[in-house]
Amino acid sequence: MHLYNKEQAIKRMNQLGQLHRPFIFIINYLQDVSYIEEVAAVDSTEVLYNLNGFTNQTISDEDNMATYSAKAMPSLHWQPFAESFFSYQRSFNIVRQNILAGNSFLTNLTCRTPVETNLTLKDIYFRSKAIYKLWVKDRFTVFSPEIFIRIHQGKISSYPMKGTIDASIPSAAQLLMNDPKETAEHATIVDLIRNDLSMVASRVSVSRYRYMDRLQTNRGAIFQTSSEIQGILPENYQEHLGDIIFRLLPAGSITGAPKKKTMQIIQEAETYDRGFYTGVMGYSDGIDLDSAVMIRFVEQEGEKMYFKSGGGITCQSDVESEYNEMKQKVYVPIY
């Protein structure tokens, strides 16, 4: 894989956009390492993707993997080893103290959880269910439901996701919609994304606010709330795809508000480097563009596997509730 720094990545994306050449992009959280490659040149032995139907995998690839997995792995083993409560509490307290001091309204705190499993990264890629999927050999796999931005016919759209609940809980949908913490968190992110889009587009508006989707996981169904924010790009936007994407990074839903200061809080509070986790991945067909935030993320380091996950912390957050929610998010949507 040929990797680019930020300046090189912006230039490369602008060039490919100007030439209307289809390409994929993978950008890490800190935006200092990127993979930008024309679709025809992507090596499928190194990178596999299925980004909302745009894919380099073949039907035979998926069939062969499904057959192999069924024979070699009659039962799924997935055992996470959550960070200790005291370790999480230390990180949580750093975030909360900054929120109470007025340095942040919302901070997305994440963790890295070791996982014992009989799955390989490629097993997870083929067997998981998500609208956006990515596999990078010997490094990580992603199965994300969260859109970053979409560009279609000159219109840019974003769909921040904030707020989840176990769908099996009685009156789950009503509880989620009425929860004051979830309501405040969602409003903060929508306002942040609206401001972000206003930096690259005109006539920005919230076209749908806090609509609900039902998602299926191997632990059962969950409800998740999202909003839709749209704007109109300049006529020559294709010549500036790299500038547009990097102007909007990192994604507000996985940092918080205000973004710059909150990133500093995250660096102090978290005990590991996010790497490509919470970065973005996407595809341009030469005219339109679709992309996702890299959540639901499994990373491999040597023989060890780690699941990276997180959640938003506000002034209303309780450390025990947030810790338990963090543990519940360490799942793979495999059937």
Side-chain angles (χ1 to χ4, degrees):
M1 293 177 63
H2 182 75
L3 300 176
Y4 298 89
N5 63 29
K6 182 176 181 177
E7 182 179 335
Q8 294 168 336
I10 292 172
K11 182 178 179 180
R12 176 76 167 148
M13 293 176 76
N14 288 345
Q15 289 174 337
L16 293 172
Q18 185 175 16
L19 295 170
H20 303 288
R21 303 290 290 271
F23 67 93
I24 71 164
F25 57 93
I26 310 168
I27 304 170
N28 74 343
Y29 165 65
L30 293 177
Q31 308 128 62
D32 55 359
V33 179
S34 299
Y35 173 75
I36 317 290
E37 189 59 88
E38 290 189 58
V39 167
V42 176
D43 183 353
S44 61
T45 66
E46 297 286 335
V47 177
L48 285 172
Y49 61 88
N50 189 335
L51 304 171
N52 196 18
F54 296 107
T55 182
N56 67 336
Q57 71 183 58
T58 65
I59 295 175
S60 60
D61 285 337
E62 193 156 5
D63 287 345
N64 290 340
M65 180 54 64
T67 301
Y68 164 78
S69 296
K71 289 180 178 178
M73 192 166 44
S75 61
L76 168 64
H77 177 62
W78 181 261
Q79 178 60 58
F81 297 90
E83 177 181 7
S84 73
F85 175 79
F86 296 104
S87 175
Y88 181 84
Q89 186 177 44
R90 171 206 161 271
S91 299
F92 178 91
N93 286 341
I94 292 172
V95 170
R96 183 167 174 77
Q97 287 163 10
N98 275 277
I99 290 174
L100 294 177
N103 297 325
S104 177
F105 303 109
L106 167 68
T107 300
N108 190 270
L109 178 62
T110 75
C111 303
R112 186 178 75 154
T113 303
V115 174
E116 183 181 279
T117 182
N118 56 352
L119 297 169
T120 66
L121 292 178
K122 189 174 275 192
D123 287 332
I124 296 170
Y125 172 83
F126 278 111
R127 293 169 58 127
S128 60
K129 309 293 182 184
I131 190 171
Y132 300 100
K133 300 202 298 182
L134 172 69
W135 167 82
V136 178
K137 183 179 180 181
D138 296 332
R139 297 192 66 178
F140 61 85
T141 192
V142 189
F143 37 96
S144 176
E146 181 170 357
I147 302 163
F148 175 50
I149 62 163
R150 287 175 174 167
I151 297 174
H152 178 62
Q153 296 181 348
K155 180 182 288 186
I156 186 170
S157 304
S158 185
Y159 304 80
M161 298 176 72
K162 275 295 174 184
T164 60
I165 194 171
D166 182 345
S168 67
I169 296 173
S171 303
Q174 183 178 358
L175 288 171
L176 177 58
M177 296 303 289
N178 294 336
D179 186 295
K181 174 187 176 294
E182 299 289 6
T183 300
E185 186 177 333
H186 196 95
T188 300
I189 288 302
V190 167
D191 189 54
L192 174 64
I193 300 302
R194 181 176 56 187
N195 289 336
D196 280 355
L197 290 191
S198 295
M199 296 189 298
V200 299
S202 61
R203 294 159 54 188
V204 174
S205 64
V206 180
S207 47
R208 285 192 292 168
Y209 185 70
R210 282 197 91 200
Y211 61 88
M212 187 174 298
D213 292 315
R214 183 185 177 96
L215 304 177
Q216 190 67 36
T217 77
N218 71 312
R219 292 185 177 179
I222 61 172
F223 287 124
Q224 181 128 35
T225 54
S226 301
S227 288
E228 179 183 62
I229 308 162
Q230 297 183 325
I232 306 299
L233 291 169
E235 288 188 7
N236 64 343
Y237 74 88
Q238 290 169 333
E239 302 173 19
H240 303 284
L241 282 179
D243 294 296
I244 291 170
I245 294 294
F246 277 87
R247 187 76 185 274
L248 299 173
L249 290 174
S253 63
I254 48 72
T255 52
K259 196 182 287 186
K260 183 177 180 179
K261 180 59 179 179
T262 301
M263 287 181 68
Q264 295 173 0
I265 298 168
I266 287 170
Q267 183 176 12
E268 180 185 359
E270 294 183 352
T271 58
Y272 73 102
D273 292 328
R274 290 191 180 187
F276 278 91
Y277 170 56
T278 66
V280 298
M281 57 186 178
Y283 177 96
S284 172
D285 65 3
I287 300 175
D288 295 334
L289 181 145
D290 198 353
S291 61
V293 182
M294 289 196 285
I295 59 173
R296 314 280 168 84
F297 189 102
V298 181
E299 188 168 47
Q300 181 176 333
E301 292 184 7
E303 299 299 317
K304 296 182 178 180
M305 294 276 201
Y306 298 91
F307 189 100
K308 295 181 176 180
S309 60
I313 309 299
T314 70
C315 62
Q316 300 177 14
S317 297
D318 169 77
V319 63
E320 291 187 7
S321 298
E322 295 296 337
Y323 177 70
N324 290 331
E325 184 176 340
M326 178 274 293
K327 291 193 295 181
Q328 289 298 316
K329 288 181 177 178
V330 186
Y331 60 81
V332 178
I334 288 178
Y335 304 87

